[in-house]
Amino acid sequence: MNTTLEKLKERIKDKKYKLTTQRQTILQAFIDAEEKHLCAEDVYVLVKAVAPDIGLATIYRTLDLFTELDLLKRLDFGDGRNRYELNDEEFAHFHHHLICVKCGCVKEFEDDMLETLESIIAKKLNFKTIDHQLKVYGYCGDCQEKMKAEEEAEAAQKGE
């Protein structure tokens, strides 16, 4: 049995909410998804294949509830859409996001380099950090290659 799903089910039960079939389907979509930063529309597409009766409004309400229950983390990557990722111990490691400003892809990287900064903040300012997010904006490797090819083509065209 899927231990992640079981842990999340238990957290819902502990907070006195029912795990309806629709909520379980939406939760399972996050567990199964290859892409870990899903917007409501992404969830809708994944869920429609399994449960065509679940509407987009239900997905939005469920995402809000799961965020409130701390099952999901809401993320803002500056593209005008909220994205969500599981907030489970299995996924709770500190990780940071690399966001391509050209194609919008988001990649995670794990490096706890901010722990040093957190300990300095704790000592100097008597502030205990419980979470942090680092978002780095730039160009992914694919987009860099495309831009380079476009620049070379443009330069060749001007040279003619």
Side-chain angles (χ1 to χ4, degrees):
M1 186 151 273
N2 189 331
T3 58
T4 300
L5 181 60
E6 292 307 315
K7 283 190 263 182
L8 294 171
K9 281 182 181 181
E10 193 62 36
R11 284 167 58 188
I12 291 170
K13 185 179 171 187
D14 289 347
K15 296 187 184 203
K16 311 291 187 228
Y17 282 85
K18 291 182 181 179
L19 184 62
T20 64
T21 304
Q22 292 175 325
R23 289 176 182 168
Q24 184 167 332
T25 302
I26 293 168
L27 208 50
Q28 192 65 51
F30 276 93
I31 293 167
D32 295 342
E34 289 182 29
E35 168 61 45
K36 299 300 177 193
H37 308 99
L38 303 173
C39 68
E41 292 78 11
D42 295 333
V43 176
Y44 180 69
V45 169
L46 293 171
V47 166
K48 271 308 218 191
V50 180
D53 57 316
I54 297 177
L56 193 54
T58 300
I59 298 212
Y60 276 107
R61 282 192 305 273
T62 304
L63 293 176
D64 286 343
L65 174 65
F66 286 172
T67 302
E68 182 183 319
L69 296 177
D70 212 24
L71 301 174
L72 297 177
K73 269 188 180 179
R74 182 179 290 131
L75 305 165
D76 179 3
F77 294 143
D79 62 355
R81 295 193 276 172
N82 285 323
R83 296 185 186 270
Y84 302 84
E85 68 182 3
L86 281 176
N87 192 21
D88 179 50
E89 297 85 39
E90 185 178 322
F91 302 102
H93 60 277
F94 283 122
H95 66 270
H96 309 290
H97 299 100
L98 305 173
I99 303 157
C100 180
V101 295
K102 189 160 177 82
C103 72
C105 76
V106 177
K107 297 184 184 207
E108 292 182 357
F109 75 97
E110 294 178 38
D111 193 329
D112 292 335
M113 63 188 143
L114 292 183
E115 283 183 0
T116 304
L117 179 60
E118 288 177 2
S119 63
I120 292 169
I121 290 170
K123 287 177 187 167
K124 286 188 174 182
L125 302 172
N126 191 27
F127 185 84
K128 181 180 176 173
T129 303
I130 58 167
D131 194 10
H132 67 261
Q133 291 184 21
L134 176 64
K135 297 179 241 175
V136 179
Y137 296 90
Y139 298 103
C140 69
D142 289 342
C143 287
Q144 288 179 62
E145 287 179 28
K146 289 176 188 171
M147 290 186 312
K148 184 178 178 183
E150 289 170 4
E151 288 172 3
E152 289 172 354
E154 205 173 286
Q157 195 174 23
K158 286 181 182 177
E160 291 181 350

